[in-house]
Amino acid sequence: MSVSSKPNERSGANTPKTLMLEKSYKPEEVETRRYQEWEEGGYFQCGKRSDADTYTIVIPPPNVTGSLHMGHALNNTLQDILIRYQRMNGLDVLWQPGTDHAGIATQMVVERQLAANNEPGRRDMGREAFLERVWQWKAESGGTITGQLRRLGASCDWSRERFTMDEGLSKAVLKVFVQLYKEGLIYRNKRLVNWDPALETAISDLEVQQQEVNGNLWYFRYPVEGEEGTYLTVATTRPETMLGDSGVAVHPDDSRYAHLIGKNCILPLVGRKIPIVADEYADPEQGSGAVKMTPAHDFYDFEVGLRHNLEMINIMTPKAKLNDSVPEKYRGMDRFEARKVIVADIEALGLLEKIEDHVHMVPFGDRGGVPVEPYLTDQWFADAETLAKPAIEAVEQGRTKFVPENWSKTYYEWMRNIQPWCISRQLWWGHQIPAWYGPDGEIFVEEAESDAYAAASRHYAEKGDVELVKRLEQGEGLVRDPDVLDTWFSSALWPFSTLGWPDKTSELQRFYQTDVLVTGFDIIFFWVARMMMMGMHFMEEEPFHTVYVHALVRDEKGQKMSKSKGNVIDPLVLIDEYGADSLRFTLTALAAPGRDVKLSTSRVEGYRNFITKLWSAARFCEMNECCPVAGFDPASVEQTVNKWIVGEVAKAEEAIRSGILSYRFNDAGSSAYQFVWNIFCDWYIEFAKPLFSGADEAAKAETRATAAWALEQILLLLHPMVPFVTEELHENLLGNGREKPLIVSDWPKYDQGLRNAEADADMAWVIRMITEIRSARSEMNVPPSAELDALVVEGADAVLPRAERYGDLIKRMARLKDITAAEEAVSGALQVVLDDGVLALPLAGVVDFAQEKARLEKAVAKADGEIMKLDKKLGNPGFLAKAPDAVVQENKERLADERAARDKLTEALARISAAM
RNA sequence: GGGCGCGUAGCUCAGCGGGAGAGCACUUCGUUGACAUCGAAGGGGUCACUGGUUCAAUCCCAGUCGUGCCCACCA
């Protein structure tokens, strides 16, 4: 049954009360329905408070191919907390959602699908047909992850959902590319790139993962030209590249080889004459001190090759097989097969000096999974160094801040050493580069094909190529660059492209600059840095003022979750089992800044219990008819208990708010947890019970109203973290009086006056007394069922008035019959020492004197220890002279307190001894 | 090689200049009509080590040891 189906039933005054709330919370019956209500109610949509300030977050767009993993769950929970909090604060909130087309990943998914269905491969079906298939796939499966974000409770403005390849965003990409090209910040160049032979595309430096490999170092002898029997020994980890060698480098100061500089080697197996050059790159300490140079297949050799004008010989095909530039024998061989053959052939020639074991780092493509090949091709590059400058300054000048601040170092480190960004990919799925080539290789970069033809016509008309101009005017003669752009190129524009840029939309005007970017540190380089560059360049304003960097979610052993390790915890499984709120609250409570989240199901279970506790506290309120009273003023309550809880609510609000605003989500979570469980449930509800069953109708009514108010505040304060259960309880609590859903209710603002020092002191005293009595009883094995009398044997003047005033509470919770002054000496009693007095609880002969004595002695010893430490501190002239007065004073008071306690304990001991 | 972290209760972690904390686990007790997805009580820590700064150090500084991550082209 729906717990809120008939909220009005509850108000019938004389009808028997029917409980609306079931015994425990069933998230599966609530979450989907609540989410629908929110979404259909339009509460997620921005623009409804046009007079309010804005608060904007753009979601890190998940891959369309993806499904929700724990990292997403954490990332989006934190964003949702910020968003819901700010929405409740009355801001015009935009959480901009969307997905990323994820070039390589998506293309691979569809290719795999084709293979699995025994359908023609991508190249067989052709570009157009293949892209159609990808779009079809996107239409069918692209909504998975957004559905999963809904399950989590993410309150994104789905009416504005975007996709990096939709029309508007594609327009933005074209505009950016063309403009940067015309500004000289994008250029085409032939240089070495990281080539992934499995995917047959260039990839960026960031997509290369270095892996340690146990390999070998082979020492080859290269014969020196014209000097029979003289060899120059080179060492290599990649023998197969020797077929592309075009030189050997030695250090200019290396006396061993000085006489060879300027001469040539004859490259074995190939017979090519290659020069011996002097270059400081050659480290005399490494290998043999002489390095073979393969400028077309090694980044460093490439640089050396440029310096010494060495030949660049590309010896491989896109699949990393040897091409026609090598001797016939090796043509068509895979690079690793060739390695073996070449070593064998060198050995056969007697030119293999030795082989050493050698552990070294090998670059792997993170998608393709095979070693990348440095490969000489024509690619498009962005001048990242120029674009980075304003982006670096923005952080240096504090216009964008990293939280935790440390991450700015990581950002600087990378940005200040940034390399040209290879932005072209030899894929089909993505934004095709808007560049057209004329027959002579001339490049025309324009947003539209027609513009490219127009530009080409002008160009060739100037050159007088009438024939070509004629063809161009008929829309022929140009060839479009087949490559697409790196996926991150379009995500770099996300904070403004999603708002409508390049059109000057009102949303762009209103919601840019966005507020905070919430992300994991793993994409600071990929994404954050590039958004900063593009934002500065095209908007001339930082895309966000704060970057909140959260940690990674790991398994309970601290290992990174990965499919191959089989330690992945699926957030949806947890949501199914424990509810979205439990998962959200767990992630919130564990999200301490700068520390990885180690997740285990037992943690989720623990926080699920918290949700249950909250539910059952609400049920208590319901059973006791704690209905919100219109116009209730928390400052007006008269019962001390109520004054106290009202103040505690205000403290909790402060703690939770400051936790959220300072991005210390774990603090916000634990403050909420402690307040609800350890204050509201453990004490306030227990204090309320005697009032509810008492005779004072005014006090009863006030307590009901206060409890209802406090519960409502709890629901408000917890809503950003646990939206579903709070929304559900809120409707139940308010019933007909509910003006609007919790999601759009106002975050509470309290007067300072809600805190009452006197009430705080009294309740602290009551709690202390109850705790001490319980503790003594428990240690002395007094059964909970036994109700004892309490006799005040010391400090009656101080103790009795309070004991009188709060007698009902104390008696019930400490299991006492009565509290009275001791008329005569008490023997055979349990003694409880308070700050301002001593209680004796007579145990009618059953008290074990020895045990009681030991208990008191232990307390004396503890007090003595404290006294000694404080004495020593206060006896130190340096401390008295230099420590702040407040600290000195505080220590003096503590010493006095400890001494008083010790004295009372000693007297209690004396009484016990006398009775023995 | 460079950079960033972390070593606090059995476990996972907060705290970060003036009285060592939480959750879980553990022990004992408990069907008090909100809750056994619970309640009450309890045990458990020279806050990695060594120096230094300070009246005062778990907290700041230096070093050592251990451990994790990121970046890097070394044949």
Side-chain angles (χ1 to χ4, degrees), chain A residues 737-755:
Chain A
R738 196 187 202 227
E739 287 169 15
K740 50 186 175 183
L742 191 54
I743 184 175
V744 281
S745 296
D746 295 333
W747 184 265
K749 287 191 173 51
Y750 308 122
D751 286 341
Q752 281 300 314
L754 289 192
R755 299 191 192 175

Side-chain angles (χ1 to χ4, degrees), chain A residues 309-377:
Chain A
N309 208 16
L310 301 178
E311 204 182 341
M312 311 263 171
I313 307 164
N314 183 350
I315 59 164
M316 292 196 205
T317 69
K319 289 186 168 145
K321 294 182 191 302
L322 296 184
N323 66 16
D324 292 351
S325 303
V326 303
E328 203 169 343
K329 173 178 182 186
Y330 306 106
R331 287 177 198 169
M333 281 186 191
D334 178 77
R335 51 187 167 161
F336 298 112
E337 182 194 352
R339 176 176 298 178
K340 289 180 205 149
V341 176
I342 285 166
V343 170
D345 289 353
I346 291 280
E347 187 170 22
L349 290 173
L351 296 174
L352 178 63
E353 186 171 298
K354 59 178 173 178
I355 305 175
E356 288 174 352
D357 289 337
H358 185 67
V359 178
H360 62 133
M361 303 298 271
V362 175
F364 280 74
D366 63 359
R367 292 277 177 184
V370 302
V372 300
E373 189 61 45
Y375 199 56
L376 194 59
T377 54

Side-chain angles (χ1 to χ4, degrees), chain A residues 71-140:
Chain A
H72 293 127
L74 171 66
N75 178 250
N76 289 290
T77 295
L78 301 183
Q79 290 176 79
D80 199 40
I81 289 172
L82 293 168
I83 285 288
R84 285 180 186 266
Y85 170 79
Q86 297 295 2
R87 186 184 291 123
M88 291 175 78
N89 269 284
L91 299 186
D92 187 7
V93 165
L94 168 59
W95 186 4
Q96 171 65 51
T99 49
D100 191 291
H101 68 278
I104 294 177
T106 310
Q107 180 163 324
M108 280 171 72
V109 165
V110 177
E111 282 193 272
R112 268 201 298 271
Q113 198 185 41
L114 292 176
N117 295 346
N118 284 321
E119 287 180 82
R122 141 171 98 99
R123 289 180 202 281
D124 295 325
M125 69 197 297
R127 184 168 189 143
E128 212 169 308
F130 179 75
L131 287 180
E132 206 170 298
R133 279 298 291 263
V134 183
W135 278 108
Q136 191 188 329
W137 180 90
K138 192 250 169 193
E140 285 162 12

Side-chain angles (χ1 to χ4, degrees), chain A residues 105-350:
Chain A
T106 310
Q107 180 163 324
M108 280 171 72
V109 165
V110 177
E111 282 193 272
R112 268 201 298 271
Q113 198 185 41
L114 292 176
N117 295 346
N118 284 321
E119 287 180 82
R122 141 171 98 99
R123 289 180 202 281
D124 295 325
M125 69 197 297
R127 184 168 189 143
E128 212 169 308
F130 179 75
L131 287 180
E132 206 170 298
R133 279 298 291 263
V134 183
W135 278 108
Q136 191 188 329
W137 180 90
K138 192 250 169 193
E140 285 162 12
S141 315
T144 305
I145 193 147
T146 54
Q148 293 171 329
L149 285 169
R150 287 174 166 93
R151 289 284 318 274
L152 186 70
S155 60
C156 306
D157 183 351
W158 296 110
S159 69
R160 297 188 47 81
E161 184 181 347
R162 305 305 299 267
F163 177 54
T164 47
M165 273 177 61
D166 67 24
E167 198 186 330
L169 271 59
S170 299
K171 189 170 142 196
V173 167
L174 292 181
K175 165 128 181 134
V176 164
F177 186 93
V178 172
Q179 187 177 326
L180 288 177
Y181 176 79
K182 292 187 173 171
E183 289 169 348
L185 294 172
I186 281 180
Y187 52 91
R188 190 166 166 80
N189 198 3
K190 188 186 225 41
R191 46 179 292 163
L192 275 192
V193 296
N194 297 297
W195 183 264
D196 188 319
L199 303 168
E200 296 180 57
T201 178
I203 57 179
S204 83
D205 300 347
L206 290 172
E207 291 162 300
V208 175
Q209 304 297 328
Q210 302 289 336
Q211 281 180 36
E212 200 173 82
V213 166
N214 292 316
N216 296 293
L217 198 52
W218 287 271
Y219 288 77
F220 290 172
R221 292 186 174 131
Y222 284 4
V224 177
E225 182 193 30
E227 297 187 23
E228 196 71 21
T230 309
Y231 300 98
L232 188 49
T233 301
V234 297
T236 181
T237 55
R238 301 197 53 203
E240 68 278 12
T241 62
M242 63 88 63
L243 300 179
D245 282 3
S246 57
V248 176
V250 299
H251 196 276
D253 301 335
D254 192 337
S255 55
R256 292 173 295 178
Y257 304 119
H259 63 287
L260 296 175
I261 295 168
K263 297 184 175 168
N264 295 306
C265 285
I266 302 299
L267 188 61
L269 309 178
V270 181
R272 182 161 55 237
K273 191 163 81 177
I274 59 174
I276 299 164
V277 301
D279 194 287
E280 301 197 339
Y281 163 60
D283 179 354
E285 306 293 317
Q286 287 282 335
S288 63
V291 199
K292 63 190 266 314
M293 288 292 122
T294 322
H297 293 281
D298 180 285
F299 286 97
Y300 223 107
D301 294 2
F302 181 78
E303 298 299 323
V304 176
L306 287 178
R307 283 200 285 275
H308 297 278
N309 208 16
L310 301 178
E311 204 182 341
M312 311 263 171
I313 307 164
N314 183 350
I315 59 164
M316 292 196 205
T317 69
K319 289 186 168 145
K321 294 182 191 302
L322 296 184
N323 66 16
D324 292 351
S325 303
V326 303
E328 203 169 343
K329 173 178 182 186
Y330 306 106
R331 287 177 198 169
M333 281 186 191
D334 178 77
R335 51 187 167 161
F336 298 112
E337 182 194 352
R339 176 176 298 178
K340 289 180 205 149
V341 176
I342 285 166
V343 170
D345 289 353
I346 291 280
E347 187 170 22
L349 290 173

